[in-house]
Structure formats: C-alpha cells, structure tokens
Amino acid sequence: MATGTRYAGKVVVVTGGARGIGAGIVRAFGDSSLTAESGGRALERELPGAVFILCDVTREDDVRTLVSETIRRFGRLDCVVNNAGHHPPFQQRPEETSTQEFRQLLELNVLGMYTLTKLALPHLRKSQGNIINISSLVGAIGQAQAVPYVASKGAVTAMTKALALDESPYGVRVNCISPGNIWTPLWEELAASTPDPRATILEGTLAQPLGRMGQPAEVGAAAVFLASEATFCTGIELFVTGGAELGFGRKARRGTPVDAPDIPS
Ligand SMILES: NC(=O)c1ccc[n+]([C@@H]2O[C@H](COP(=O)([O-])OP(=O)(O)OC[C@H]3O[C@@H](n4cnc5c(N)ncnc54)[C@H](O)[C@@H]3O)[C@@H](O)[C@H]2O)c1
C-alpha cells in the first residue's frame, strides 16, 4: 500500500523490489507490496505497511500466488512495476553465447514480465490502474557484446507499446522506463567481473553528459510520476539516462576497417 502523498492508498506490486532499482521504486512509493529475497525482509521492516512476498517471476505458480496474496491482503491492485531482470556479464559475443543462455534470459527479462502482466490485468482493469515496465536505454540504441540483453529489452519496450494499445479500451495505461547507467548491486557485480573494475566504473560514469551514474531513487521518482501524474501518457518510453543517448561523435570501434573520404588537394 503506497503511503506517499502522490499515490496514497494505492496498491503497487514491484518485482525484484529487494535491492537496486526495485528497492528505489519501493521507497519512492512510500511502501508497497514487494517481492524477492532477503533484502525484501529488511525493506518490510523499514517501511511500515510494505509486504514482502517471495516470488520467482519465471515460475507461473509463484506469480499466481503473488497476485492472489496481494488481493487477499489489500483487496485491490493499482500498479504493477515489472522491474525484475538481469544483465549477464559483458563480452557476450555471438560465438560465446549459447541459444540456451539467450532463452533463459528471455524467460526472465521478457516472459516474467508478461506472466505477471497477464495475471494482474483483470485487477488493473477494475482499478483503472497502470503498468510500468523497466526496460533499458540499450533496447533503443544497442550495446556492444550484449545481443541477448539488448534483444530482451527491445522486446520489453515493444511489448509496452503493443499492450498500451490493447489495454486502452479498459482505461489501463502501460508505459516503460528505460534507465541508462544506474548505480546498483547489478552494476557493481558487472564491473567486478571485468579485468579492471575501476576503469569499467569510470567508463560507465563518463557515458553520461551529466558526469555521474543515476541513483535508484531517481528511477523511483520517474515511476511515481508515471503512476500518479502522467494520466495522459500510455505507450511511452521514458528515458532516465543522464543524457547518455545524446551527442554525435566517434562510434567506430578499435579494429573496424576505416574508410575515410580523401581530402581534395
Ligand atoms: N542498473 C542499471 O544500470 C540498469 C540500466 C537499465 C536497465 N536496468 C534494469 O533495471 C532492472 C533492475 O536492475 P538492477 O540494476 O536494480 O538489478 P539488481 O540485480 O541490482 O536487482 C535486480 C532484482 O531483481 C531480482 N530478481 C532477479 N531475478 C528474479 C526472478 N527470477 N524473480 C524475481 N526477482 C528476481 C533480484 O533478486 C534483485 O532483487 C532490471 O530489469 C535491469 O535490466 C538496470
């Protein structure tokens, strides 16, 4: 149950709410129904009224229980934030990525979102609620050596738009947030898996014209805006990126054959 003044009294489910961006979203709403593992218990203690429900979004039975428990405890559902997702370690070159790994990522990043969406819709239609999918900037602009992740997030953004059309007759809005680099445990783990974590973190920091990474709270604020105030927005992709997509400049990578025009003498 959200307690913040902007969405007071509404019931919000946030998947992967125990840490990182998900925890930032839970805090931004005040308190909410939330899912996932140990960190969820800590948030439950920190935010009176918040409820932690263990749920693996790739298991349909778990997701059914999440929805039925939410309705049993609160009697309604106003907003679903599909946040749970994963970015495998960098250097996913096509020749090093198995079809099975790709399939597993789609199960989590795409089908997990779809399963909860599908099961929550009857309740969201009743409350004229809304869905917020956490996609990624790279779904729109690409990322090197990350085909499965980029494809999964491109699918999330496309699914958001298709569902926004199908649900508009029922008054359910469907939007997505595409974060850029947000400093979370996932980012920290990805950096730690590289040969020079400090250099990786510096690269990630310099990718934004603002010269810093975003905070989970800043994605949380965007989610509260979409849920509570963006009443004429559906099917949108809201970039929360510090401007990482801006700028026209050098893109050819080291080793790319370069073919520059001759300067007439
Ligand atoms: N951090 C970034 O820079 C960034 C950028 C763009 C998009 N995103 C997206 O934001 C979302 C959150 O990322 P984060 O950086 O906070 O990651 P994180 O790994 O720090 O947190 C992810 C949360 O999701 C949960 N989770 C993972 N698998 C799950 C499953 N099967 N069922 C239920 N919960 C599960 C984890 O337990 C964890 O609580 C992801 O969808 C990610 O792709 C992150």
Side-chain angles (χ1 to χ4, degrees), residues 15-23 35-37 55-59 82-87 108-109 113 134-138 149 152-153 177-187 189-190 213 216 219:
T15 63
R19 72 177 209 180
I21 289 173
T35 62
E37 72 297 48
C55 171
D56 178 343
V57 296
T58 65
R59 298 169 64 107
N82 280 310
N83 163 76
H86 183 61
H87 190 314
L108 171 58
N109 286 4
M113 292 194 181
I134 304 302
S135 187
S136 169
L137 171 62
V138 303
Y149 183 75
S152 75
K153 292 302 186 177
I177 295 174
S178 283
N181 287 318
I182 310 294
W183 184 242
T184 65
L186 172 63
W187 222 110
E189 287 162 15
L190 284 173
M213 292 200 201
V219 184

Side-chain angles (χ1 to χ4, degrees), residues 23 44 58 65 84 87 90 101 106 113 122 146 161 168 175 179 194 200 206 223-224 232 249 254 256-257 264:
E44 201 177 41
T58 65
T65 304
H87 190 314
F90 298 120
E101 283 171 277
L106 292 176
M113 292 194 181
K161 294 176 188 206
S168 55
N175 294 297
T194 63
T200 306
L206 296 178
V224 174
F232 200 47
R254 193 188 295 253
T256 304

